[in-house]
Structures are given as structure tokens and as C-alpha cells.
């Protein structure tokens, strides 16, 4: 005889689960009892939202399926934001929820919430398991669905009588899951690839537009090879950061609303856009008709629904981007005649570098640059949402895939800190830093408890502007400086950390930054920096809402005279992303 | 904008209708009608969905439907040779000695059957393409239609062709 709970936990082990982030309660008790002497580690969070984000961080850092768990009703409902976050960014996750016994389903029973109903639009699939004999199969299917094709969260709702119930014999599982309604296309269509190759060979001004799909399919090696083979510049989305080293000569950095001017110009002037694992999000495209207006578009994506969704595509290729790139690489010849296009882009880079004022004030960009120099591109950087996120995207030098975790699609404040916890358990040897805003950090600040209790060595750098900075920036620029409810009173974050037994430093002067960062990194165990930055620093350049992406405002433009001097100094050999403290 | 007829094969499982209809609502697509029932294939149901939209919208609907794990196959059969039929029950005022004979006459022209006769009303059952049902309803309105129920149309390809799961 085996209980549903035992079958569940054994199933999780079979799927390779080593860590669950969760929070117990009444109807999930049978599962907790089973976990008590299971080799699977359970991390008790302080709020279920954090369990979901931690599972998400675990998944993004490792590529494996993250697992979170909660009890019925309020517990399950608290997972919702975390599930939606994972759904929007295509993160493989399995969420296990307790449910009232099947006999009480639909009865408004104590702590009953229709969680499969609530999460229907934010899960890739979900199960309400009604019989103990189905538990094993559902576990197998849930993990299969979560990690294959376009990954996403799968919710498994487990009524108490199903986990407590016993069965004589667990029906054997198929070796491979077969679902007749779910067969992702992995191999790109040969004729479509032929057409793509034809366009690529003809193109004069190509740009690779790479995104989260490159990270998911572990295709950065192939993507960079393609770029080098074609001498084709690469721009990445927020989600694609790390797929090409930040200082790679062909890397234009991020495109879109807070991307670089030169990436946006390059896309606008391109005659061929090679879109790889991206979804033409409105933060990227700006005004759609003016996005890549002169370009033919090749779009490789595993999800057919993404192709042509926002922008008409000339050559759609449905498939796993890694496998498609491998086929292309076998056939594409080396190009060495891209001089005109690259020279043009280099001129934009020189003229419109990312920049910030280095006037001795404590600017967030400087903090991030220093951290980047200190870690040399190693480690895992997680962000919250807002200005802190955009500054990190612009100024941190990412060198490897899965070294950058951020909530892009949903833009969930409070994501970073718990996701950092998850990332630590996925890759315990890495330094994990959450670059936070003071607003976002307070959305899951209670996880200091989880970090302290388990001595989880995550580092938090709060870029503290005492504002909901990103919203304040919009109010400054588009609402006539009317700072309606965006100011936050000062908080003694170091004091709060200390109350949890976590060490920290408040940083108020520019000169203190390097040593404070070093102390943080060199401390074993968790650490918090409360960095009091220039309060009204903005994220620039930016594309105002509804504008074309080449109509950016607020960027630094290098005067002609300086440009001439620089050009004389550099010659025309280097081709590097322009980053500069002006 | 035009009406597209989709023939959809789905797993015959709890929740599948919610998943399908929820998807339409969520993505702002308009369902004109939806009919569902079991099929000749074990464990599978067929749906006929009529959706209004331009070609790009309908293509997006189909792709999103295909992403549902419980959806096995989606075909747009609007442009194919098809038979489509809908069933309606119409309760209409038909007092003996006044309109009853006229109602019965109209019914017989439309090959509608009288499936219930009350003191003051009759219930007609009519099957046909949706246009025929519209026409009948219009004619009966003068007598007073007390209740009308339509199933939504079901559609099948003509000839030997069928909508089947891939492989
Ligand atoms: C405040 C804020 C500002 C932002 N500003 C910007 C900005 O300036 N620039 C920017 O780029 N983003 C910005 N974003 C993020 C933006 O909202 C989107 O999340 C992001 O642009 C989407 O990235 P993506 O296109 O790479 O798609 P993702 O969401 O990463 O989706 C991945 C795509 O790859 C596909 N895929 C998955 N696996 C595979 C595979 N194996 N093979 C092939 N394809 C696969 C998926 O189907 C999907 O289409 C901002 C977010 C916030 C919160
Ligand atoms: C949960 C949630 N609520 C509201 C928002 C809207 N929002 C986007 S950025 C932002 C301000 C973030 O403030 P903070 O964390 O201090 O970061 P800063 O922009 O100051 O760096 C807000 C409120 C959001 N993204 N997420
Ligand atoms: Mg702030």
C-alpha cells in the first residue's frame, strides 16, 4: 500500500527534484509528512509568493524545473503572482497546491479556492488530481510539459484525500510521455531554412535580434558563432542578456525602450533582421510600423503562435533555435566584407555611448559598474523591477547565459530577492547578488527570515532612491513633475537586516562604494548594502511610449570635436560597445 | 472581418470547455457559436466553433488553441466543401382555431417537426443550415415566439475527407 503523498514525493525524486520551496498548511499535511524523511530538501519561505519566485530563480539559473508548494486557499492564492511571472517569461516550473478533499470540492469549504480556475490563464497546463492512482502519471506529465517545447509553469492541485489515500499498486508509467495534443516542433522546416540562408547571403545590413529563447535552448554558442561567421552585429532583449559577452566586438547591447541608441539605430536601418527566440514585445518594438521598417525578417521560435503575432515575418521557422542554428551553421560561409555596415554602426556607438555623470555624486550606474568589475562577469545577478533593473541591464557586463535573472514580461516588483534565494540552491558555488530598489525590496523583505534561518549567502544591493523611481521618472517626464504617491520615506534597511541577524552597511559616499562592495562579496553568508543614490537619477536613453525606437530621448551625444579626436586615437580597428562615464 | 468555422478535436476531459472558451474571452476573440459533443474517436470530442475576425486574428486563435495541451487538432474549414447543420427548438403561440394551422403549414414547408403540442403553444424542431433556421424564426415571429433554443452549428467536410488527429 502506498499513499498519494508517497507516490508524489517518489515521483518528484524520479524527476530529479532536489529542492522544493514551500509553505505548509492543513490540507497539504500528508505531503509534508512524507517530506519529513525524504532526501528532497525543503526551504521554508516566509510568504508563498517567495516560494514561487525562488522556484523560478532556481529554474532560470539551472535550466531545470523549479518546484514550489503551498496549501489550499490563501496559500495557493499567494503563489499566483509568482506563477504569472514564470508564465510571462517562459520559465519551467511545477507548482504543487493542496486542495480540500474531493468530497468538498465546489462547496466553499474552509480554505477552498479554485486555484486551477484562477491560474488557467497563467499556466501552460494544470491538473486537479481526483484519484490517487493518477498522481504518478500527473507528476510525470507535469514535469514533461513544464520543461519541453516553450517552457512554462504547470500547476498540480492535490485534494487531501488524494494525497492521504492509499492504493495497492501504482500503475506502471510509460517510458516516454505521449500526449496526443502536445507535440512541439523541434526541427526547423528544411525549405524555410533554405529561404533564410538565401536572405542571409544577400543581406548587406543584417542584425541578429536575440532573446530569451537563446538562453532556454542553450544556443548562445551557436548564436555567437553565427554572428562571427557573418560579421553580423547582435542586439539582445532584456531576456537575452548574457547570450553574447557584453564586450564582444559585435555586441550592440540591449535594444528597445531603454536599449542603446546604436542598437535601435542598427535595427531601424537594417535590411535583414534575424530574430532568434524573441517575441517582439512592445517594450522592444516601440511603434510597430516603424520597427525595422527596411528589413526582411527571419523569425525562429519554438512557439508558432509567436510568429507573426505582432509583426509580419518573411521567413518563419518553427523549431528549437539551437537545432535550427546548427543546421544553418553547417551551410553558411564566412563573410569578411561587412566593413561599410560595421563602420556606420561604430560611428553611432562613438556618438551615442551609454553614459552617466561622474561628478562625485553617488550614481547607481557607478555602483553597478564597480560590482561588474569586481565580479568580472562571474556570478549570478538578479534584479528587482524599475530603474534598478534597467540600470543593471545597461551597466552590468554579462558574459554568460543564465547569469542574469529578471522579471521581464510581468515586471514583478519583489521578484529579485526570492529569485536570488532560488538561484543559490541551483548553483550553490556562485556568488548571487540581488540588485534591488527600495520599493521592490520591501515587497518581499520578509525573506530576510528565510535567508537568515538557512544562512543563504545571497547579497542584496539596494539602490535606494527613496522613490518608486521608475514611476517617478515618468511623472517627471510626462506628468509635469507631479510626484503623486511615489515618494518613500527613508528606511533603515541595515537595521532591519541586523534584526534578522544579517550583516549590512549603509553607503552614502561615492568613495565608499568599492570597499563596501568588496566587503559584501568577501563576507561568507548573506549581506546587505543600502546604497543611498542620487534620488532623481533617471534611466536614459529612453523611447517615450508610442514612439519609434530610433526616437530616443535623454541620451548623451558626444560633440563632433571630441568624436574627431577619439577617432584619430582609436584608428578604425576597435569595435566596442560605447560605455563611458562622461 | 468574417465568420470562420473551426473544427476542433479535443480530449474529452473535465475543464476542456473552460480552457477553450476562456482562451477566446481572454484574448478578446468573439465566439459566434460553439457546439461540442463526443466523436467516433475514443476519448475525444469534436467542437465546431464559429469565430468572427480577420484572417490574422483567426490564425492567432488557431495557434493559441493548438497550444492547449487538451486540444488535439484545429482546422479552419471555412473555405472547404462542407455540410453544416444546426438544430433549433422553437416554442411558438399557436391557439387552436386561430394561428395553429398556419404555424403547422409553415412548419411543413420548412420540414420542421412538431414535437410538442400544448393548449396554446406548439414546439417545433427544425434542423438545417443556420440560414434556414433564421428564416423560419423570422416567419414565426408574427405569431409570438415564446422561446427559442439553438444548438450552434456543427460542420463536417463533404466527401471522404475528415478532420483527424495528425498521425
Ligand atoms: C521596466 C521594464 C522595462 C523594460 N524595457 C525593456 C527594454 O528596453 N528592452 C527589452 O528588450 N526588454 C525590456 N523589458 C522586458 C520586456 O518586457 C520583455 O520581457 C522582453 O523584451 C521579452 O524578451 P524576449 O523577446 O527575449 O522574449 P522572452 O519573454 O524571453 O520569450 C522567449 C521567446 O523565445 C521562444 N523560445 C523559448 N524556447 C525556445 C527554443 N528552445 N527555441 C526557440 N525559441 C524558443 C519563446 O517561444 C518566446 O517567443 C522591460 C521590462 C520591464 C519590466
Ligand atoms: C508588483 C508591482 N507593483 C507595481 C509595479 C509598477 N512599478 C514599476 S517600477 C515601480 C517602482 C519601483 O520602485 P523601486 O523598487 O524603488 O525601484 P526604482 O525604480 O526606484 O529603482 C513600480 C511601482 C510593478 N512593476 N510591480
Ligand atoms: Mg526606489
Amino acid at each position: 500500500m502506498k499513499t498519494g503523498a508517497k507516490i508524489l514525493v517518489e515521483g518528484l525524486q524520479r524527476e530529479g527534484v532536489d529542492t522544493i520551496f514551500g509553505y505548509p498548511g492543513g490540507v497539504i499535511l500528508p505531503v509534508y509528512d512524507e517530506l519529513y524523511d525524504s532526501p528532497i530538501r525543503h526551504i521554508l519561505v516566509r510568504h508563498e509568493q517567495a516560494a514561487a519566485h525562488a522556484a523560478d530563480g532556481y529554474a532560470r539559473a539551472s535550466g531545470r524545473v523549479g518546484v514550489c508548494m503551498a496549501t489550499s486557499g490563501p496559500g495557493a492564492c499567494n503563489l499566483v503572482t509568482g506563477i504569472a511571472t514564470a508564465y510571462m517569461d517562459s520559465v519551467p516550473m511545477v507548482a504543487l497546491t493542496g486542495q480540500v478533499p474531493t468530497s468538498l470540492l465546489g462547496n466553499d469549504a474552509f480554505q477552498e479556492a479554485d486555484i486551477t480556475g484562477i491560474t488557467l490563464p497563467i499556466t501552460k497546463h494544470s491538473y486537479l488530481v481526483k484519484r490517487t492512482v493518477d498522481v504518478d502519471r500527473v507528476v510525470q506529465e507535469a514535469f514533461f510539459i513544464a520543461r519541453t517545447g516553450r517552457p512554462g509553469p504547470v500547476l498540480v492541485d492535490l485534494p487531501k484525500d488524494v494525497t492521504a489515500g492509499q492504493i495497492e499498486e501504482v500503475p506502471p508509467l510509460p517510458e516516454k510521455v505521449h500526449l496526443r495534443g502536445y507535440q512541439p516542433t523541434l526541427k526547423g522546416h528544411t525549405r524555410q531554412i533554405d529561404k533564410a540562408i538565401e536572405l542571409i547571403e544577400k543581406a548587406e545590413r543584417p542584425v541578429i535580434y536575440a532573446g530569451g529563447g537563446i538562453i532556454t535552448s542553450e544556443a548562445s554558442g551557436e548564436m555567437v558563432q553565427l554572428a562571427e561567421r557573418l560579421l553580423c552585429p547582435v542586439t539582445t532583449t532584456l531576456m537575452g542578456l548574457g547570450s553574447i559577452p557584453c564586450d564582444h566586438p559585435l555586441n550592440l547591447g540591449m535594444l528597445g525602450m531603454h536599449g542603446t541608441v546604436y542598437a535601435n539605430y542598427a535595427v531601424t536601418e537594417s535590411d535583414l533582421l534575424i530574430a532568434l527566440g524573441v517575441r517582439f514585445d512592445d517594450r522592444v518594438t516601440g511603434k510597430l510600423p516603424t520597427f525595422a521598417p527596411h528589413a526582411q525578417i527571419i523569425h525562429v521560435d519554438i512557439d508558432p503562435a509567436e510568429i507573426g503575432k505582432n509583426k509580419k515575418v518573411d521567413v518563419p521557422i518553427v523549431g528549437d533555435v539551437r537545432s535550427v542554428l546548427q543546421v544553418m551553421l553547417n551551410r553558411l560561409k564566412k563573410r569578411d566584407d561587412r566593413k561599410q555596415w560595421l563602420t556606420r554602426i561604430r560611428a553611432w556607438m562613438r556618438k551615442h555611448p551609454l553614459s552617466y555623470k561622474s561628478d562625485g555624486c553617488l550614481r547607481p550606474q557607478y555602483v553597478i559598474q564597480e560590482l561588474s568589475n569586481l565580479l568580472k562577469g562571474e556570478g549570478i545577478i538578479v534584479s528587482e523591477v524599475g530603474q534598478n533593473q534597467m540600470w543593471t541591464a545597461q551597466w552590468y557586463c554579462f558574459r554568460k547565459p543564465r547569469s542574469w535573472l529578471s522579471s521581464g514580461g510581468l515586471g514583478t516588483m519583489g521578484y529579485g530577492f526570492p529569485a536570488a534565494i532560488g538561484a543559490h540552491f541551483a548553483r550553490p558555488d556562485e556568488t548571487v547578488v540581488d540588485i534591488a530598489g527600495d520599493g521592490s525590496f520591501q515587497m518581499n523583505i520578509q525573506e530576510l527570515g528565510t535567508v537568515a534561518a538557512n544562512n543563504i549567502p545571497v547579497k542584496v544591493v539596494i539602490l535606494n532612491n527613496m522613490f518608486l523611481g521608475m514611476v517617478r521618472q515618468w511623472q517627471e517626464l510626462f506628468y509635469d513633475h507631479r510626484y503623486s504617491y511615489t515618494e518613500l520615506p527613508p528606511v533603515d534597511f541595515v537595521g532591519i537586516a541586523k534584526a534578522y541577524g544579517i550583516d549590512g552597511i549603509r553607503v552614502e559616499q561615492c568613495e565608499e562604494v568599492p570597499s563596501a562592495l568588496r566587503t559584501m562579496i568577501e563576507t561568507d553568508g548573506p549581506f546587505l548594502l543600502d546604497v543611498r543614490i542620487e534620488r532623481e537619477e533617471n534611466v536614459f536613453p529612453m523611447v517615450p511610449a508610442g514612439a519609434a525606437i530610433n526616437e530616443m530621448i535623454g541620451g548623451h551625444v558626444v560633440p563632433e570635436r571630441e568624436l574627431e579626436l577619439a577617432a584619430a586615437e582609436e584608428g578604425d580597428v576597435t569595435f566596442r560597445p560605447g560605455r563611458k562615464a562622461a | 472581418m468574417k465568420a470562420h468555422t473551426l473544427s476542433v478535436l479535443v480530449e474529452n476531459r473535465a475543464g476542456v470547455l473552460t480552457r477553450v472558451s476562456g482562451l477566446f474571452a481572454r484574448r478578446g476573440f468573439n465566439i459566434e457559436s460553439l457546439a461540442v459533443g463526443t466523436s467516433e474517436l475514443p476519448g475525444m470530442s469534436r467542437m465546431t466553433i464559429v469565430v468572427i475576425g480577420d484572417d490574422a486574428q483567426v490564425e492567432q486563435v488557431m495557434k493559441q488553441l493548438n497550444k492547449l495541451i487538451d486540444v488535439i487538432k484545429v482546422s479552419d474549414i471555412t473555405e472547404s466543401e462542407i455540410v453544416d447543420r444546426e438544430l433549433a427548438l422553437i416554442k411558438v403561440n399557436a391557439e387552436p382555431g386561430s394561428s395553429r394551422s398556419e404555424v403547422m403549414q409553415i412548419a411543413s414547408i420548412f420540414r420542421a417537426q412538431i414535437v410538442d403540442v400544448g393548449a396554446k403553444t406548439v414546439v417545433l424542431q427544425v434542423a438545417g443550415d443556420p440560414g434556414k433556421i433564421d428564416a423560419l424564426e423570422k416567419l414565426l415571429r408574427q405569431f409570438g415566439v415564446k422561446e427559442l433554443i439553438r444548438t450552434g452549428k456543427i460542420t463536417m467536410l463533404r466527401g471522404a475527407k475528415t478532420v483527424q488527429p495528425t498521425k
Side-chain angles (χ1 to χ4, degrees):
Chain A
M1 295 292 269
K2 260 189 195 174
T3 64
K6 189 169 181 63
I7 299 169
L8 171 71
V9 172
E10 287 178 0
L12 295 176
Q13 272 176 266
R14 183 188 62 232
E15 296 298 332
V17 175
D18 58 15
T19 312
I20 297 177
F21 304 92
Y23 207 90
V27 294
I28 194 93
L29 271 170
V31 181
Y32 270 85
D33 191 58
E34 201 54 54
L35 278 179
Y36 192 63
D37 34 36
S38 148
I40 296 179
R41 167 176 50 197
H42 175 278
I43 302 299
L44 178 69
V45 292
R46 296 298 178 268
H47 184 300
E48 289 89 346
Q49 183 186 348
H53 290 325
D56 172 316
Y58 178 99
R60 293 192 210 212
S62 64
R64 300 195 297 271
V65 179
V67 182
C68 58
M69 185 157 86
T71 194
S72 67
C77 288
N78 274 347
L79 291 177
V80 168
T81 305
I83 295 173
T85 302
Y87 182 72
M88 289 294 276
D89 289 343
S90 309
V91 177
M93 179 196 285
V94 169
L96 305 167
T97 49
Q99 184 52 281
V100 302
T102 48
S103 58
L104 294 178
L105 275 174
N107 202 34
D108 303 321
F110 176 64
Q111 295 200 324
E112 178 180 7
D114 172 12
I115 196 64
T116 49
I118 290 170
T119 58
L120 205 65
I122 53 166
T123 47
K124 183 170 173 186
H125 195 54
S126 55
Y127 294 88
L128 168 53
V129 188
K130 294 242 181 87
R131 304 178 311 171
T132 306
V133 288
D134 293 333
V135 171
D136 208 26
R137 175 184 57 82
V138 166
V139 170
Q140 189 191 29
E141 286 182 12
F143 278 81
F144 175 72
I145 292 169
R147 73 169 167 257
T148 53
R150 178 179 184 170
V154 177
L155 183 126
V156 179
D157 202 18
L158 297 154
K160 188 172 185 186
D161 55 325
V162 170
T163 50
Q166 301 196 331
I167 51 171
E168 292 278 351
E169 216 174 306
V170 187
L173 289 176
E175 208 156 287
K176 270 176 85 184
V177 178
H178 174 77
L179 298 163
R180 48 194 179 185
Y182 177 67
Q183 275 135 10
T185 308
L186 300 179
K187 252 186 84 211
H189 198 286
T190 321
R191 234 173 315 135
Q192 294 300 95
I193 295 180
D194 289 345
K195 278 195 219 159
I197 285 176
E198 227 174 274
L199 288 191
I200 290 172
E201 280 171 347
K202 279 203 311 239
E204 300 274 331
R205 302 185 307 280
V207 172
I208 293 173
Y209 154 37
I214 294 286
I215 310 280
T216 308
S217 71
E218 313 268 341
S220 29
E222 285 81 357
M223 192 268 286
V224 173
Q225 226 182 312
L226 179 76
E228 289 171 351
R229 178 90 52 92
L230 301 174
L231 286 177
C232 176
V234 177
T235 178
T236 71
T237 65
L238 184 75
M239 307 312 286
L241 290 174
S243 60
I244 177 168
C246 76
D247 46 6
H248 190 286
L250 290 168
N251 187 4
L252 306 179
M254 185 169 82
L255 81 168
M257 180 174 273
H258 288 295
T260 62
V261 172
Y262 38 93
N264 286 350
Y265 280 7
V267 167
T268 307
E269 295 297 316
S270 66
D271 65 354
L272 179 68
L273 193 64
I274 308 171
L276 305 173
V278 289
R279 54 186 181 80
F280 292 79
D281 186 84
D282 51 85
R283 294 269 138 153
V284 166
T285 60
K287 192 165 137 200
L288 264 172
T290 53
F291 181 70
H294 313 297
Q296 292 199 286
I297 301 179
I298 299 168
H299 188 187
V300 185
D301 203 290
I302 202 160
D303 179 358
E306 286 304 337
I307 293 181
K309 185 176 85 175
N310 298 335
K311 184 91 188 161
K312 218 179 104 5
V313 164
D314 300 281
V315 182
I317 303 177
V318 178
D320 174 58
V321 63
R322 182 164 183 207
S323 110
V324 172
L325 285 180
Q326 283 167 346
V327 176
M328 285 187 174
L329 281 169
N330 279 335
R331 302 196 22 207
L332 281 165
K333 286 192 288 293
K334 176 118 188 72
R335 283 281 292 248
D336 37 25
D337 56 339
R338 198 75 78 194
K339 192 151 182 223
Q340 242 186 345
W341 180 223
L342 295 183
T343 308
R344 249 180 107 188
I345 293 178
R346 192 169 55 229
W348 291 327
M349 281 181 153
R350 286 213 183 98
K351 191 162 179 186
H352 304 279
L354 285 175
S355 76
Y356 63 89
K357 275 214 192 83
S358 56
D359 53 1
C361 297
L362 216 180
R363 310 246 172 216
Q365 302 92 330
Y366 168 67
V367 179
I368 293 163
Q369 250 189 338
E370 281 298 306
L371 179 67
S372 184
N373 293 339
L374 192 63
L375 292 179
K376 301 190 177 62
E378 296 297 320
I380 301 173
I381 302 300
V382 189
S383 82
E384 299 290 346
V385 166
Q387 294 183 312
N388 58 85
Q389 178 183 33
M390 292 297 111
W391 286 319
T392 310
Q394 292 181 339
W395 291 93
Y396 196 91
C397 180
F398 295 102
R399 291 204 167 81
K400 293 179 185 166
R402 301 198 188 282
S403 63
W404 161 242
L405 320 180
S406 191
S407 167
L410 200 66
T412 309
M413 290 172 68
Y415 167 81
F417 188 35
I421 294 173
H424 164 73
F425 286 102
R427 286 158 63 192
D429 298 332
E430 302 271 4
T431 304
V432 184
V433 183
D434 174 33
I435 298 184
D438 50 322
S440 299
F441 187 63
Q442 291 183 77
M443 286 226 173
N444 273 315
I445 194 168
Q446 78 287 342
E447 295 311 310
L448 285 166
T450 309
V451 164
N454 298 282
N455 193 29
I456 301 169
V458 297
K459 320 293 179 189
V460 181
V461 178
I462 303 176
L463 300 174
N464 189 350
N465 48 15
M466 293 179 236
F467 271 118
L468 297 173
M470 184 56 97
V471 183
R472 184 209 55 76
Q473 175 170 344
W474 282 61
Q475 291 172 333
E476 175 188 332
L477 298 174
F478 311 116
Y479 291 86
D480 198 21
H481 285 79
R482 288 156 56 86
Y483 294 170
S484 178
Y485 303 103
T486 41
E487 189 163 4
L488 300 171
V491 172
D492 178 10
F493 286 112
V494 173
I496 293 175
K498 292 221 159 115
Y500 277 99
I502 294 169
D503 229 353
I505 307 177
R506 183 190 298 175
V507 180
E508 285 167 313
Q509 303 296 327
C510 203
E511 304 76 59
E512 301 163 8
V513 170
S515 72
L517 285 172
R518 209 164 310 114
T519 307
M520 174 181 86
I521 297 301
E522 282 165 7
T523 304
D524 296 332
F527 203 88
L528 180 146
L529 288 188
D530 176 3
V531 187
R532 302 294 171 98
I533 59 166
E534 271 298 298
R535 293 195 66 203
E536 300 193 31
E537 183 72 12
N538 285 328
V539 182
F540 283 134
M542 82 176 284
V543 179
I549 59 166
N550 61 343
E551 297 167 0
M552 295 190 91
I553 59 168
H556 176 68
V557 183
V558 178
E560 283 306 322
R561 233 180 57 82
E562 271 180 51
L563 278 177
E564 282 160 23
L565 287 176
E569 228 171 82
E570 270 177 48
D572 59 1
V573 276
T574 44
F575 185 74
R576 280 193 180 287
R579 275 164 208 271
K580 169 176 162 82
Chain B
M1 299 278 265
K2 72 170 207 216
H4 287 249
T5 304
L6 308 183
S7 181
V8 185
L9 260 180
V10 299
E11 294 288 351
N12 183 5
R13 255 188 219 141
V16 62
L17 188 58
T18 322
R19 287 180 200 277
V20 169
S21 58
L23 188 143
F24 279 83
R26 184 160 75 243
R27 295 195 178 260
F29 302 129
N30 292 320
I31 302 186
E32 173 97 346
S33 76
L34 188 158
V36 56
T38 53
S39 74
E40 82 287 1
L41 300 158
M44 295 187 210
S45 294
R46 284 180 196 281
M47 290 183 177
T48 303
I49 305 175
V50 181
V51 53
I52 313 269
D54 60 36
D55 290 352
Q57 282 172 326
V58 173
E59 188 186 325
Q60 185 59 208
V61 169
M62 291 177 61
K63 285 172 166 177
Q64 293 294 346
L65 277 174
N66 256 319
K67 277 170 71 167
L68 297 178
I69 309 287
D70 286 342
V71 169
I72 298 160
K73 173 90 183 200
V74 185
S75 311
D76 185 348
I77 56 174
T78 315
E79 305 294 333
S80 312
E81 295 275 303
I82 50 174
V83 222
D84 51 358
R85 287 291 177 273
E86 183 172 12
L87 183 75
L89 294 175
I90 308 170
K91 186 175 291 174
V92 59
N93 285 331
E95 299 214 18
S98 125
S99 56
R100 182 162 292 188
S101 59
E102 216 179 322
V103 167
M104 286 172 73
Q105 231 171 17
I106 292 172
S108 90
I109 295 168
F110 278 81
R111 294 211 213 117
Q113 286 162 288
I114 306 222
V115 290
D116 179 66
V117 179
K120 297 180 173 171
T121 58
V122 294
V123 176
L124 305 189
Q125 166 195 309
V126 61
D129 66 60
K132 171 177 164 184
I133 297 173
D134 291 343
L136 175 60
E137 188 212 338
K138 214 167 138 199
L139 273 178
L140 293 175
R141 233 181 257 158
Q142 54 177 313
F143 308 108
V145 171
K146 310 218 27 136
E147 194 175 2
L148 169 81
I149 307 179
R150 299 173 68 147
T151 56
K153 74 165 177 173
I154 53 173
T155 308
M156 192 176 262
L157 295 169
R158 285 183 186 274
K161 276 192 272 173
T162 56
V163 173
Q164 292 295 327
T166 339
K167 84 173 181 165

